[in-house]
Amino acid sequence: MNVENVLHERFGFAEFRPGQRETIESVLSGQHTLSMLPTGTGKSLCYQLPAYLLPGTVLIVSPLLSLMQDQTEQLKMRGEKRVIALNSFLQYEEKTAALANLNRYKFIFLSPEMLQLPQVIGALCPLTVSLFVVDEAHCISQWGYDFRPDYRLLGDVRHELGSPLTLALTATATEKVRQDIREGLHLPTVKEWVFSVNRPNIALQVETLQNQMDKHQRLIELVTFFKKPGIVYFSGRKATEEAVIQLKQAGIVRAAYYHGGMEASDRLLIQHQFLTGELDVVCATSAFGMGINKENIRFVIHYHMPPQMESYLQEIGRAGRDGNPSIAILLYAQGDESRHEFIAAMEFPDDGQIRQLTEYSVNPRDIQPPLSETQERFAVHYKQEANQKRLNAAVYMKERRNHLLTRKAEKRNEMLTWIFSSNCRRADYMHFFNEKPLKQPHCCDCCGIDLSIYKNKSVSRRSEEQLNWRNMLAQLLPGK
Ligand SMILES: [Zn+2]
């Protein structure tokens, strides 16, 4: 069977999206492969399809439980039963049963933490691993925006598994990050496929508003004006819920919120309603969108700026997969960046927690105030690393924490520089990825765009005028 047949018969697609064929053929020819495919091009097909042409098992390392859940569900919906996710959600009995029967599965999804457990490695070793997939591979790099300390151990894990054929996937990685991926996974020779981060059918606009009240007003205007469906991103859970109330009051009733604090079943319901067109607008945190295969999203609005350019590009990339004109709007008000400063600080243990962990050797689970999942991951990893290196654990952990916080502040500043720039926005972000920018129509607010292209047909003349008037005002505000 050739790749086309599998694509048609297994997946029901008529053709490949850019980058998929190259990646798949590279893997099937037995080369270690690193592929950078822009969001919206369907990265998961790049390992799902070869799985049907290769003997043995495909292991997929994934950094997020929700992402893992989405991908296993997706495979199950296609009728694939030989799929399992090994993560901290599994009960002890379930895990033991799964580990005893791993050879029954074609697809095994794993969190990086699971790969640190000797019994998991022990159960994986006898299997024929035909492909080792590292999803969101930029997490391996300290230069990446989403560094995960446990990803750095994947090179050793690969070695323990007999150095199987490897596929590293990412949507956004600068050259420096790609180098870290190659080194981190111990891949001396690797075929690299790097596709443009540019999505020409998505117009970009940034608007500076004076305060949060103006932003709310503007959000309602934009959501009313634009052709739907669309997504509005927020940096906090509560804000998504408040926005839905306001949108509904303004007459946009087919709106719902989505965030990581909701029950899994409620999240699946919202995803499903959005996919089937029962909802026009989802107000969400960044938790929404990763597993969503929706072609016709017409707008993505950022009510709060994302913490870095890479997240921005991933999130706006959910618009316009069908190739039709779509728009991304970012609303900025002074001080918005401080939300991320606060969020970043919360990702790491504070000095008091570090002291309990090191000086008093308190069990990470018993520390007060309790460690979040991310904090615990950080603490356990670096305490262990300090011990291996025979360093003072408290000093080492603080030093690593401060390094990562500085890195996050730099990424935040890059994002702010982009927001305040008066250069072509597309050219600026392409430059960031060492790409040569191209002039194109309907580009960005700095090049000049006509918002009426993205207009919902039923919009009245008056609200269109109001929208444009506000738009002009936004351009005049300081910060532009
Ligand atoms: Zn432009």
Side-chain angles (χ1 to χ4, degrees):
M1 226 203 240
N2 65 19
V3 289
E4 263 87 14
N5 288 344
V6 184
L7 185 72
H8 303 160
E9 284 167 26
R10 276 274 171 186
F11 298 92
F13 295 130
E15 54 189 42
F16 287 106
R17 289 176 185 277
Q20 287 180 331
R21 176 193 289 278
E22 292 84 344
T23 306
I24 289 167
E25 286 181 347
S26 163
V27 165
L28 289 174
S29 71
Q31 299 180 87
H32 298 309
T33 304
L34 193 176
S35 244
M36 177 173 136
L37 299 169
T39 316
T41 48
K43 280 187 294 157
S44 49
L45 189 89
C46 295
Y47 61 81
Q48 289 180 0
L49 194 152
Y52 292 106
L53 294 166
L54 293 168
T57 314
V58 175
L59 301 187
I60 306 110
V61 184
S62 183
L64 288 172
L65 296 181
S66 56
L67 185 62
M68 225 183 273
Q69 233 171 9
D70 285 349
Q71 286 166 340
T72 46
E73 284 308 315
Q74 228 180 63
L75 279 164
K76 284 181 183 164
M77 275 191 317
R78 287 221 170 84
E80 180 54 76
K81 291 194 182 71
R82 298 167 299 163
V83 47
I84 190 166
L86 295 177
N87 55 43
S88 50
F89 279 167
L90 285 186
Q91 300 297 321
Y92 180 78
E93 294 79 21
E94 286 177 302
K95 200 171 85 183
T96 316
L99 289 178
N101 295 295
L102 279 186
N103 56 358
R104 288 190 191 163
Y105 300 102
K106 185 77 191 165
F107 297 93
I108 304 176
F109 289 85
L110 295 133
S111 60
E113 295 86 359
M114 279 285 147
L115 284 167
Q116 297 310 311
L117 303 175
Q119 77 260 41
V120 172
I121 293 286
L124 290 171
C125 274
L127 302 180
T128 309
V129 177
S130 52
L131 189 60
F132 182 75
V133 183
V134 182
D135 202 6
E136 310 294 333
H138 54 264
C139 293
I140 216 165
S141 170
Q142 302 212 39
W143 301 108
Y145 60 96
D146 207 3
F147 171 58
R148 284 278 297 259
D150 33 28
Y151 254 61
R152 282 208 311 183
L153 305 168
L154 290 179
D156 293 340
V157 169
R158 254 194 89 238
H159 186 69
E160 284 181 73
L161 296 174
S163 305
L165 179 64
T166 299
L167 169 63
L169 292 166
T170 176
T172 40
T174 55
E175 171 47 37
K176 209 169 181 177
V177 172
R178 295 201 296 273
Q179 188 186 340
D180 273 1
I181 296 174
R182 293 188 295 266
E183 288 174 6
L185 292 176
H186 306 167
L187 297 170
T189 51
V190 57
K191 178 76 196 157
E192 234 177 80
W193 293 101
V194 178
F195 293 89
S196 174
V197 290
N198 186 25
R199 294 280 304 280
N201 63 317
I202 305 173
L204 311 163
Q205 171 141 316
V206 176
E207 296 186 14
T208 305
L209 295 133
Q210 228 143 15
N211 52 44
Q212 298 302 320
M213 238 164 66
D214 281 5
K215 260 169 96 173
H216 263 295
Q217 183 60 38
R218 184 62 177 164
L219 178 68
I220 290 167
E221 281 171 16
L222 291 169
V223 174
T224 310
F225 179 84
F226 286 139
K227 216 179 275 172
K228 294 166 201 49
I231 307 176
V232 188
Y233 281 110
F234 296 81
S235 61
R237 294 172 177 178
K238 205 163 142 239
T240 66
E241 298 182 11
E242 287 166 358
V244 169
I245 296 173
Q246 288 182 330
L247 288 176
K248 286 191 172 170
Q249 279 168 354
I252 301 152
V253 289
R254 300 194 338 149
Y257 60 85
Y258 180 106
H259 55 66
M262 293 159 65
E263 291 292 333
S265 57
D266 292 339
R267 279 188 284 148
L268 279 173
L269 178 70
I270 301 295
Q271 277 193 15
H272 181 76
Q273 290 180 328
F274 189 58
L275 279 174
T276 54
E278 288 165 65
L279 284 172
D280 286 332
V281 184
V282 175
C283 293
T285 59
S286 59
F288 184 70
M290 263 185 272
I292 305 250
N293 280 313
K294 192 169 170 66
E295 302 278 305
N296 64 339
I297 296 172
R298 294 278 70 90
F299 68 81
V300 169
I301 297 175
H302 280 94
Y303 186 84
H304 295 126
M305 64 180 260
Q308 60 266 319
M309 280 310 289
E310 287 92 335
S311 309
Y312 173 76
L313 291 176
Q314 291 218 12
E315 285 161 9
I316 68 163
R318 291 177 187 133
R321 286 176 167 211
D322 55 9
N324 292 328
S326 310
I327 187 159
I329 299 220
L330 188 151
L331 304 178
Y332 175 81
Q334 201 185 5
D336 279 357
E337 60 276 22
S338 60
R339 303 176 67 89
H340 290 295
E341 204 175 323
F342 178 72
I343 295 169
M346 297 293 289
E347 283 178 29
F348 304 98
D350 63 27
D351 287 359
Q353 289 167 319
I354 291 181
R355 197 175 316 123
Q356 292 174 55
L357 197 72
T358 52
E359 269 177 54
Y360 305 110
S361 295
V362 179
N363 184 309
R365 296 271 152 102
D366 300 327
I367 281 172
Q368 290 301 329
L371 295 172
S372 70
E373 200 190 313
T374 331
Q375 289 171 334
E376 188 182 325
R377 217 159 39 212
F378 174 91
V380 171
H381 180 86
Y382 284 108
K383 189 180 176 188
Q384 203 178 13
E385 201 168 280
N387 290 343
Q388 278 164 3
K389 294 184 175 178
R390 295 175 188 279
L391 296 168
N392 177 311
V395 174
Y396 186 64
M397 280 162 82
K398 284 182 201 168
E399 189 261 320
R400 291 326 296 159
R401 177 192 66 192
N402 297 345
H403 166 83
L404 290 169
L405 280 172
T406 310
R407 198 56 207 131
K408 281 179 186 281
E410 285 165 10
K411 300 300 283 177
R412 214 156 45 231
N413 284 335
E414 270 171 9
M415 184 83 223
L416 280 174
T417 308
W418 181 83
I419 288 174
F420 295 136
S421 167
S422 51
N423 297 332
C424 170
R425 301 200 180 276
R426 195 173 307 269
D428 272 7
Y429 82 60
M430 288 176 75
H431 180 73
F432 186 73
F433 285 93
N434 285 334
E435 281 190 57
K436 287 224 164 50
L438 304 163
K439 271 267 160 241
Q440 67 161 75
H442 316 303
C443 177
C444 68
D445 53 322
C446 299
C447 299
I449 42 174
D450 174 7
L451 289 184
S452 67
I453 299 171
Y454 312 97
K455 187 178 76 168
N456 166 3
K457 281 197 191 79
S458 59
V459 164
S460 69
R461 182 93 197 118
R462 201 174 152 270
S463 49
E464 187 171 349
E465 274 165 14
Q466 190 184 19
L467 185 104
N468 286 328
W469 177 79
R470 281 238 182 210
N471 195 20
M472 278 163 61
L473 190 73
Q475 308 296 326
L476 295 174
L477 278 173
K480 288 294 298 186

